[in-house]
C-alpha cells in the first residue's frame, strides 16, 4: 500500500465525522462543554426595576434642590419589596437588588443622606430621575437568544444560563476514546522491570491529548502480543461504547504487529495504512461500524505527534469543537538538510527574536526520545523533498504550546 500524504490522510480520517448526539447536562457539570442547542432566556433580567445601591427610594422632583427633608415610610430589602406607594415628601429605605417601590423614580445613595431621627432624613445631594436604578430587562428579556449553538461553556456563559433560569443545557456528548497499549515488553509505571521490559508511557500522553479537546479517555491497559489478548480488549472497548479505539504499537509489519489482523477480523474496514510522514509512518485508520479505529505507532514521539495531527482534530469534530492547528511562520535557527519523500515534523525550540519567531531544531530527532518532545514547544514542518535550508531561511512551525 502506497504511503498516504498527511493532508489526504487527515481528510479521509475526518470524512463523515460530525458532532455526536446531544445530552441534557446539569450546569454544574457543563463547564468546557459544547452547546448542542442555543440557549434562550426563560425570564427577563432584571425582572423589575431594581435598586443598584443601598439608599432611599424617592421622587426625583423632591430632591432636585437640597437640602430636602423627607419622611421614611418603610423599608425594601432585597427579596421583599415595599408594598405601598411613595408619595410627596416621602422616602423608602431600600437595599441593593430590591424592587423600586411604586411612586419612586430615583435612588439617593445613603452617603448623601443625613438621618435626622424620628423617621426623618435630609437629602444633601441632588439626584436625577432614574439614577442608581437597574431598569427592567437591562441585561436581557424573555426569549432573547443568549448563547449560540456550538458555544464552549465557560464561567460567564454558565452563570448567564443560570440567570436565564436554565438548570440544565443540551450539550454535544463527549466522545469516548478507548486506549489499548500492546506489547509483551510493556509494564505500567511503578512496576519492577524485568531485564527485557520498558515502561508503557504512550497511553498517558494520548489520554491527555484526547482530554485537551474535551474527550473522555478509557485506559484498557496493556495487551500481550497475542491476537486473542488484543481482541479481548477491542471487544471491551466496543462494549464500553467507545467512539474511537486507539491502539498503541503493533500496527507496523513485523511478526508481532497484530493490530491490523485483529481489527479486520473484528469487522474493521481499513481506510489507510502508512503515512508519508516522519515520525509516524505506521499510522493506521479504519472503521468498525460507527467506531473509528486509529492504530498509532509504538514509538512515543511518533504516537504523540500523530495524536496532535490526527486524533485531536477527529475528537474535536466529534465533540462539536472548532479545532485548528496553530501553524506560524518563523526563521530557522540552524541549517537543515534536504528532506526525502515524507513530510517531516522536527522537534524544535521556538523563541521571539527581533519581532519574529526563530525555530531551532534539536540536533537529534530519534522518535523514542520523549524528553526532547517535552522540551520542544514547536514542530518545524518540512514538506516532502524540501531542499536544504540555511539558518535564517523561512519555515513553518506547528506550535505545541
Amino acid at each position: 500500500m502506497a504511503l498516504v500524504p498527511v493532508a489526504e490522510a487527515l481528510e479521509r480520517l475526518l470524512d463523515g465525522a460530525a458532532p455526536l448526539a446531544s445530552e441534557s447536562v446539569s450546569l454544574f457539570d457543563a463547564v468546557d462543554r459544547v452547546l448542542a442547542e442555543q440557549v434562550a432566556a426563560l425570564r427577563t433580567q432584571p425582572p423589575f426595576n431594581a435598586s443598584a445601591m443601598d439608599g432611599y427610594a424617592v421622587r426625583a422632583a423632591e430632591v432636585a434642590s437640597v437640602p430636602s427633608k423627607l419622611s421614611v415610610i418603610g423599608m425594601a430589602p432585597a427579596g421583599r419589596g415595599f408594598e405601598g406607594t411613595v408619595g410627596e415628601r416621602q422616602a423608602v429605605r431600600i437595599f441593593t437588588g430590591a424592587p423600586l417601590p411604586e411612586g419612586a423614580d430615583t435612588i439617593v445613595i445613603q452617603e448623601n443622606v443625613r438621618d435626622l431621627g424620628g423617621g426623618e432624613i435630609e437629602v444633601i445631594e441632588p439626584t436625577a430621575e432614574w439614577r442608581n436604578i437597574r431598569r427592567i430587562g437591562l441585561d436581557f428579556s424573555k426569549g432573547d437568544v443568549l448563547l449560540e449553538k456550538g458555544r464552549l461553556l465557560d464561567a460567564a456563559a454558565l452563570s448567564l444560563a443560570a440567570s436565564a433560569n436554565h438548570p440544565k443545557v443540551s450539550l454535544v456528548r463527549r466522545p469516548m476514546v478507548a486506549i489499548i497499549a500492546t506489547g509483551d515488553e510493556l509494564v505500567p509505571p511503578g512496576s519492577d522491570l524485568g531485564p527485557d521490559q520498558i515502561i508503557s508511557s504512550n497511553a498517558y500522553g494520548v489520554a491527555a491529548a484526547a482530554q485537551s479537546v474535551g474527550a473522555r479517555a478509557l485506559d484498557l491497559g496493556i495487551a500481550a502480543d497475542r491476537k486473542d489478548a488484543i481482541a479481548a480488549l477491542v471487544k471491551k472497548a466496543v462494549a464500553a461504547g467507545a467512539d474511537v479505539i486507539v491502539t498503541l504499537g503493533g500496527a507496523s509489519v513485523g511478526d508481532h504487529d497484530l493490530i491490523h489482523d485483529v481489527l479486520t477480523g473484528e469487522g474493521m474496514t481499513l481506510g489507510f495504512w502508512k503515512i508519508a510522514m516522519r515520525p509516524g509512518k505506521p499510522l493506521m485508520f479504519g472503521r468498525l461500524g460507527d467506531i473509528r479505529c486509529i492504530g498509532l505507532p509504538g514509538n512515543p514521539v511518533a504516537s504523540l505527534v500523530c495524536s496532535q495531527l490526527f486524533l485531536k482534530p477527529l475528537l474535536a469534530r466529534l465533540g462539536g469543537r472548532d479545532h485548528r492547528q496553530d501553524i506560524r511562520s518563523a526563521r530557522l535557527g540552524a541549517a537543515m538538510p534536504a528532506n526525502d519523500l515524507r513530510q517531516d515534523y522536527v522537534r524544535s525550540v521556538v523563541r521571539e527574536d527581533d519581532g519574529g519567531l526563530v525555530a531551532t531544531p534539536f540536533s537529534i530527532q530519534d522518535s523514542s526520545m520523549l524528553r526532547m518532545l517535552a522540551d520542544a514547544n514547536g514542530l518545524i514542518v518540512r514538506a516532502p523533498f524540501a531542499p536544504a535550508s540555511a539558518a535564517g531561511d523561512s519555515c513553518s512551525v506547528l506550535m505545541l504550546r
Side-chain angles (χ1 to χ4, degrees), residues 243-268:
D243 301 292
V244 178
I245 297 175
V246 172
T247 59
L248 306 174
S252 189
V253 293
D255 291 340
H256 295 285
D257 294 331
L258 308 172
I259 295 298
H260 172 264
D261 289 347
V262 170
L263 287 173
T264 52
E266 293 295 321
M268 182 190 77

Side-chain angles (χ1 to χ4, degrees), residues 1 12-13 259-273 284-295:
M1 184 177 290
R12 288 160 66 174
L13 183 141
I259 295 298
H260 172 264
D261 289 347
V262 170
L263 287 173
T264 52
E266 293 295 321
M268 182 190 77
T269 301
L270 182 65
F272 56 78
W273 191 7
M284 183 185 69
F285 171 69
R287 297 285 297 270
L288 182 59
D290 291 332
I291 303 173
R292 288 166 168 82
C293 302
I294 300 178

Side-chain angles (χ1 to χ4, degrees), residues 86-111:
V86 176
E88 293 183 6
R89 316 306 302 172
Q90 291 181 335
V92 168
R93 181 72 166 116
I94 196 167
F95 297 89
T96 303
L100 182 70
E102 185 178 347
D105 58 12
T106 195
I107 305 294
V108 179
I109 61 174
Q110 60 190 17
E111 294 86 345

Side-chain angles (χ1 to χ4, degrees), residues 54-278:
D54 292 346
Y56 293 85
V58 302
R59 295 183 175 188
E62 307 285 3
V63 293
S65 60
V66 293
S68 176
K69 291 183 180 180
L70 303 174
S71 297
V72 179
I73 61 171
M75 183 178 294
R80 191 171 69 252
F82 179 73
E83 295 183 355
T85 300
V86 176
E88 293 183 6
R89 316 306 302 172
Q90 291 181 335
V92 168
R93 181 72 166 116
I94 196 167
F95 297 89
T96 303
L100 182 70
E102 185 178 347
D105 58 12
T106 195
I107 305 294
V108 179
I109 61 174
Q110 60 190 17
E111 294 86 345
N112 292 337
V113 172
R114 292 195 187 101
D115 187 350
L116 302 178
E120 286 195 327
I121 58 171
E122 184 176 63
V123 178
I124 58 176
E125 291 288 340
T127 304
E129 190 176 20
W130 296 108
R131 290 294 300 276
N132 306 313
I133 295 171
R134 298 185 179 119
R135 302 293 289 269
I136 183 171
L138 174 66
D139 198 357
F140 53 80
S141 297
K142 184 176 180 179
D144 287 352
V145 175
L146 305 179
L147 300 169
E148 294 289 350
K149 177 181 177 180
R151 169 70 182 262
L152 190 65
L153 295 177
D154 56 12
L158 288 169
S159 292
L160 177 59
S163 70
N165 206 26
H166 288 273
K168 297 182 177 182
V169 284
S170 179
L171 304 178
V172 178
R173 183 171 63 78
R174 295 172 64 195
M176 178 189 286
V177 183
I179 302 172
I180 302 171
T182 66
D184 291 337
E185 75 280 16
L186 300 179
V187 293
S191 301
D192 293 326
L193 276 71
D196 302 316
Q197 293 178 314
I198 60 172
I199 297 295
S200 177
S201 62
N202 295 11
Y204 300 92
V206 172
Q211 291 164 346
S212 73
V213 290
R216 295 174 292 160
L218 175 63
D219 181 13
L220 293 180
I222 302 168
D225 283 324
R226 301 192 321 271
K227 289 185 178 181
D228 64 323
I230 298 170
L233 292 188
V234 171
K235 289 181 171 66
K236 192 172 181 179
V238 173
D243 301 292
V244 178
I245 297 175
V246 172
T247 59
L248 306 174
S252 189
V253 293
D255 291 340
H256 295 285
D257 294 331
L258 308 172
I259 295 298
H260 172 264
D261 289 347
V262 170
L263 287 173
T264 52
E266 293 295 321
M268 182 190 77
T269 301
L270 182 65
F272 56 78
W273 191 7
K274 298 184 178 59
I275 308 299
M277 63 179 288
R278 181 191 301 107

Side-chain angles (χ1 to χ4, degrees), residues 322-354:
D322 182 20
H323 176 76
R324 295 181 177 88
Q325 304 287 7
D326 184 7
I327 298 179
R328 306 184 194 181
S329 297
R331 290 178 286 116
L332 286 174
M336 298 190 72
N339 197 17
D340 61 12
L341 77 165
R342 290 191 281 170
Q343 187 152 301
D344 212 350
Y345 293 86
V346 182
R347 283 159 284 175
S348 60
V349 174
V350 185
R351 58 182 174 83
E352 287 275 359
D353 184 70
D354 294 332

Side-chain angles (χ1 to χ4, degrees), residues 11-52:
E11 182 180 351
R12 288 160 66 174
L13 183 141
L14 294 178
D15 183 43
L20 299 173
S22 63
E23 59 182 353
S24 181
V25 177
S26 164
L27 292 184
F28 273 110
D29 299 316
V31 65
D32 203 32
R33 297 284 300 273
V34 177
L35 280 174
E37 300 175 0
Q38 66 182 20
V39 173
L42 301 178
R43 60 185 291 272
T44 295
Q45 175 65 19
F48 44 74
N49 294 323
S51 177

Side-chain angles (χ1 to χ4, degrees), residues 306-390:
C306 288
S307 293
Q308 177 73 30
L309 294 175
F310 299 101
L311 180 61
K312 288 174 67 173
L314 172 62
L315 294 175
R317 183 167 293 187
L318 293 176
R321 294 173 180 249
D322 182 20
H323 176 76
R324 295 181 177 88
Q325 304 287 7
D326 184 7
I327 298 179
R328 306 184 194 181
S329 297
R331 290 178 286 116
L332 286 174
M336 298 190 72
N339 197 17
D340 61 12
L341 77 165
R342 290 191 281 170
Q343 187 152 301
D344 212 350
Y345 293 86
V346 182
R347 283 159 284 175
S348 60
V349 174
V350 185
R351 58 182 174 83
E352 287 275 359
D353 184 70
D354 294 332
L357 295 179
V358 175
T360 303
F362 288 101
S363 58
I364 302 175
Q365 292 288 324
D366 190 285
S367 59
S368 69
M369 299 173 66
L370 273 173
R371 180 176 179 179
M372 192 183 302
L373 181 61
D375 289 341
N377 63 340
L379 300 171
I380 297 172
V381 183
R382 299 270 289 166
F385 304 109
S389 302

